[in-house]
């Protein structure tokens, strides 16, 4: 899926400096692009996970028994987050979280608890050879992104990773931050941002802060790439 895009940038557009960006589940594919295709100067992961998961069918509940990602027709190692066992969008209290989280959050958190399986499925970010920027909110409703960011930083430190690594964690930050479409072109989308709080409760509760995080994280990303 990603090889043609990278080849187009390199061979058709003759672009020498390429970065790869992934938000939420896209963070998995960003790492895999940098790891398997290679040559990425920067890897940016926003509200990320540190481990691929088992995929689902289009209903988002029927588990497939296969990873969400494959390389050369083989599953990338993954953990099972059983979304069929939870009500993904229902909010609840969880002893491991200071804020209310979704059923989806609980499924992903549970998937991390078998440490042997977690270790075997860990994204091998040290093989990307890229400068790495990690961004998360500390009250992510969708999955434990702050845990993943801190785990990735420790993992890289333990590997004595030589490239630059930066962690940004926003207080009362939601799952939603990172690069947004052009503000002038997408004025209607930006007017709708406050409505996101109906779905993402941290965003709704700390609306002013989280709207500001879009601008802050955008600046962090652009500054990181341009450094």
């Amino acid at each position: 899926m990603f090889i043609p895009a990278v080849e187009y940038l390199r061979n058709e557009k003759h672009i020498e400096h390429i970065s790869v960006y992934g938000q939420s589940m896209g963070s998995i594919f960003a790492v895999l692009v940098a790891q398997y295709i290679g040559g990425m100067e920067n890897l940016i992961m926003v509200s990320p996970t540190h481990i691929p998961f088992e995929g689902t069918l289009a209903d988002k509940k029927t588990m497939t028994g296969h990873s969400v990602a494959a390389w050369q027709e083989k599953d990338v190692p993954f953990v099972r987050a059983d979304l069929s066992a939870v009500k993904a969008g229902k909010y609840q209290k969880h002893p491991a979280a200071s804020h209310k989280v979704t059923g989806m959050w609980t499924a992903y958190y549970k998937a991390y608890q078998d440490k042997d399986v977690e270790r075997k499925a860990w994204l091998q970010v040290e093989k990307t050879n890229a400068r790495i920027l990690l961004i998360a909110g500390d009250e992510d409703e969708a999955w434990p992104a702050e845990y993943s960011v801190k785990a990735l930083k420790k993992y890289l430190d333990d590997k004595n990773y030589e490239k630059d690594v930066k962690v940004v964690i926003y207080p009362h930050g939601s799952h939603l931050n990172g690069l947004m479409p052009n503000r002038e072109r997408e004025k209607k989308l930006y007017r709708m941002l406050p409505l996101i709080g109906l779905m993402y409760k941290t965003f709704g509760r700390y609306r002013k802060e989280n709207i500001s995080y879009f601008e802050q994280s955008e600046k962090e990303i652009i500054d990181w790439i341009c450094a």
Side-chain angles (χ1 to χ4, degrees):
M1 179 178 178
F2 296 98
I3 289 172
V6 175
E7 289 182 344
Y8 173 77
L9 292 174
R10 286 178 176 159
N11 302 330
E12 299 294 328
K13 291 297 184 179
H14 306 292
I15 294 175
E16 297 180 5
H17 307 283
I18 303 176
S19 298
V20 60
Y21 168 84
Q23 198 270 350
S24 189
M25 193 69 77
S27 62
I28 296 171
F29 299 99
V31 174
L32 298 178
V33 166
Q35 177 184 344
Y36 288 115
I37 300 175
M40 302 295 117
E41 290 194 1
N42 299 287
L43 167 63
I44 298 103
M45 303 171 69
V46 175
S47 301
T49 175
H50 59 296
I51 295 173
F53 297 103
E54 179 181 358
T56 67
L57 298 182
D59 62 8
K60 304 298 183 183
K61 281 186 171 293
T62 305
M63 309 307 293
T64 64
H66 293 281
S67 177
V68 295
W71 174 251
Q72 296 181 344
E73 300 183 0
K74 292 183 180 179
D75 279 349
V76 170
F78 67 96
V79 297
R80 178 179 175 82
D82 190 359
L83 298 178
S84 68
V86 299
K87 291 184 178 180
K90 185 177 180 181
Y91 278 82
Q92 57 200 271
K93 292 182 179 180
H94 192 281
S98 62
H99 57 292
K100 283 190 175 182
V101 296
T102 60
M104 186 168 67
W105 190 102
T106 66
Y108 290 123
Y109 179 82
K110 185 177 180 181
Y112 297 149
Q113 301 316 301
D114 187 328
K115 295 303 178 183
D116 185 53
V117 173
E118 180 188 35
R119 178 182 57 79
K120 291 177 180 177
W122 206 285
L123 285 166
Q124 296 178 303
V125 285
E126 79 280 9
K127 293 184 178 180
T128 65
N129 199 37
R131 298 171 67 250
I132 300 175
L133 175 62
L134 304 166
I135 298 176
D138 69 359
E139 294 189 24
D140 193 306
E141 317 93 320
W143 63 21
E146 181 187 12
Y147 169 76
S148 290
V149 160
K150 290 179 176 178
L152 284 165
K153 179 63 167 64
K154 184 179 185 304
Y155 176 86
L156 290 165
D157 288 345
D158 290 345
K159 296 283 186 180
N160 296 312
Y161 192 66
E162 295 182 352
K163 294 294 182 74
D164 294 335
V165 178
K166 182 177 181 179
V167 169
V168 178
I169 297 175
Y170 294 119
H172 305 305
S174 168
H175 187 68
L176 300 174
N177 48 70
L179 287 173
M180 291 289 287
N182 180 282
R183 292 173 187 269
E184 287 300 314
R185 187 183 64 219
E186 302 290 351
K187 289 181 179 179
K188 183 177 180 181
L189 173 62
Y190 274 87
R191 287 198 298 269
M192 293 175 62
L193 282 178
L195 299 177
I196 294 173
L198 298 174
M199 181 183 302
Y200 291 95
K201 292 192 180 297
T202 297
F203 192 101
R205 185 178 181 186
Y206 300 100
R207 184 178 300 169
K208 183 178 179 180
E209 292 91 333
N210 278 278
I211 288 177
S212 75
Y213 293 154
F214 281 123
E215 183 175 350
Q216 292 179 42
S217 57
E218 186 175 86
K219 185 177 186 305
E220 287 280 0
I221 292 164
I222 292 170
D223 287 349
W224 185 258
I225 292 172
C226 292

